[in-house]
Amino acid sequence: MYRIAPSILSADMARLGEEVQNVIVAGADWIHFDVMDYHYVPNLTFGPVVCSALKPYLKNIPIDVHLMVEPVDLLIKDFANAGANIISFHPEASRHIDRSLSLIREHNILSGLALNPATPLCMVEHVLDKLDMILIMSVNPGFGGQKFIPAMREKIRQCKTLCDKYADKSGRQIMIEVDGGVCDSNIADLIDDGANIFVAGSAVFGKDDYHMAINSLKQHFPRG
Ligand code: DX5
Ligand code: ZN
């Protein structure tokens, strides 16, 4: 299963509903929703009110909430009520990671942990049974349009090995999402490395034709 998740951080904020509709018609599989609090990251975006306002525009397309906020637990509840389908947070931003993951699952939402470029992969090792997705940040969180950090390819490969080993034991495959600097020229390598969910902000919203932009990313997806 491979998915493109356009990040509305790079959309035209004055026309957010329309932008979401357009990108869905253009082939978006998920909508990536970057929540920033000017505390955990040096930028400020949108909260649950905007998420629930966008919900009618989403039809059955999942909304993938990426929390770059500290602390996380209260917002997990609010985003669950606002219609989030997947919620990821950064382990550094929660005192009790296992508890925060359980809180997400209690709302029947898929759970994810987001790892900054310098955050070691071992942060996820003891909570794999509570995880549906591992989000590998391939830029430092806070802004769209940054350059992909090449060392993250090795981290994705190690993450894939870890997830495959876990799948052998449990029969459950954890998704691997890459976020930051994903574009036409690196997506094929990232697929080879083992990622299957691709956040794309500027690579979609930075283009005039969203359909062409999403298609040129998807053309690298393995067939069948
Ligand atoms: C960065 C965000 C990303 C960002 C990706 O903190 O988490 O989702 O919007 O944007 P691009 O694809 O432009 O790097
Ligand atoms: Zn993100």
Side-chain angles (χ1 to χ4, degrees):
M1 182 196 77
Y2 294 90
R3 299 280 183 261
I4 297 290
S7 162
I8 56 168
L9 183 64
S10 299
D12 179 349
M13 297 287 170
R15 298 167 37 246
L16 218 41
E18 202 184 318
E19 287 275 74
V20 164
Q21 269 175 324
N22 290 343
V23 92
I24 288 172
V25 172
D29 301 301
W30 292 4
I31 294 294
H32 187 78
F33 193 93
D34 284 308
V35 185
M36 305 184 185
D37 66 350
Y38 218 91
H39 167 70
Y40 181 69
V41 286
N43 199 359
L44 184 65
T45 58
F46 22 63
V49 173
V50 178
C51 182
S52 50
L54 288 178
K55 206 58 188 166
Y57 295 87
L58 286 162
K59 309 263 168 2
N60 50 358
I61 298 287
I63 187 148
D64 171 32
V65 173
H66 176 192
L67 293 181
M68 286 160 276
V69 303
E70 187 181 356
V72 300
D73 290 2
L74 272 175
L75 272 179
I76 286 172
K77 285 184 200 146
D78 291 347
F79 272 103
N81 294 331
N85 301 93
I86 301 145
I87 298 181
S88 306
F89 65 89
H90 288 252
E92 297 88 347
S94 171
R95 281 267 169 92
H96 305 289
I97 298 164
D98 182 278
R99 182 181 290 152
S100 301
L101 288 171
S102 300
L103 192 59
I104 298 174
R105 288 266 184 98
E106 278 164 24
H107 288 91
N108 291 318
I109 291 174
L110 299 181
S111 62
L113 269 182
L115 303 181
N116 284 334
T119 303
L121 194 58
C122 63
M123 291 300 289
V124 303
E125 262 173 27
H126 301 286
V127 287
L128 290 173
D129 57 324
K130 295 208 164 99
L131 273 181
D132 297 295
M133 186 168 86
I134 299 170
L135 185 164
I136 305 284
M137 289 293 317
S138 38
V139 297
N140 286 293
F143 303 94
Q146 302 180 77
K147 259 183 69 184
F148 182 89
I149 298 171
M152 294 306 105
R153 287 197 57 194
E154 175 58 24
K155 191 175 186 179
I156 294 165
R157 287 195 284 266
Q158 288 180 17
C159 186
K160 174 69 173 155
T161 305
L162 182 71
C163 291
D164 284 350
K165 236 192 238 165
Y166 176 73
D168 284 345
K169 268 199 329 217
S170 67
R172 204 173 62 83
Q173 192 75 50
I174 295 172
M175 297 178 280
I176 302 177
E177 182 174 57
V178 194
D179 187 4
V182 173
C183 62
D184 253 6
S185 58
N186 61 17
I187 191 166
D189 289 339
L190 302 174
I191 290 168
D192 282 349
D193 294 337
N196 62 328
I197 314 286
F198 303 91
V199 176
S202 41
V204 172
F205 287 106
K207 302 281 166 64
D208 291 331
D209 186 330
Y210 298 166
H211 189 257
M212 254 172 60
I214 293 176
N215 261 1
S216 67
L217 292 168
K218 282 192 175 179
Q219 74 180 350
H220 300 283
F221 286 0
R223 313 227 173 258

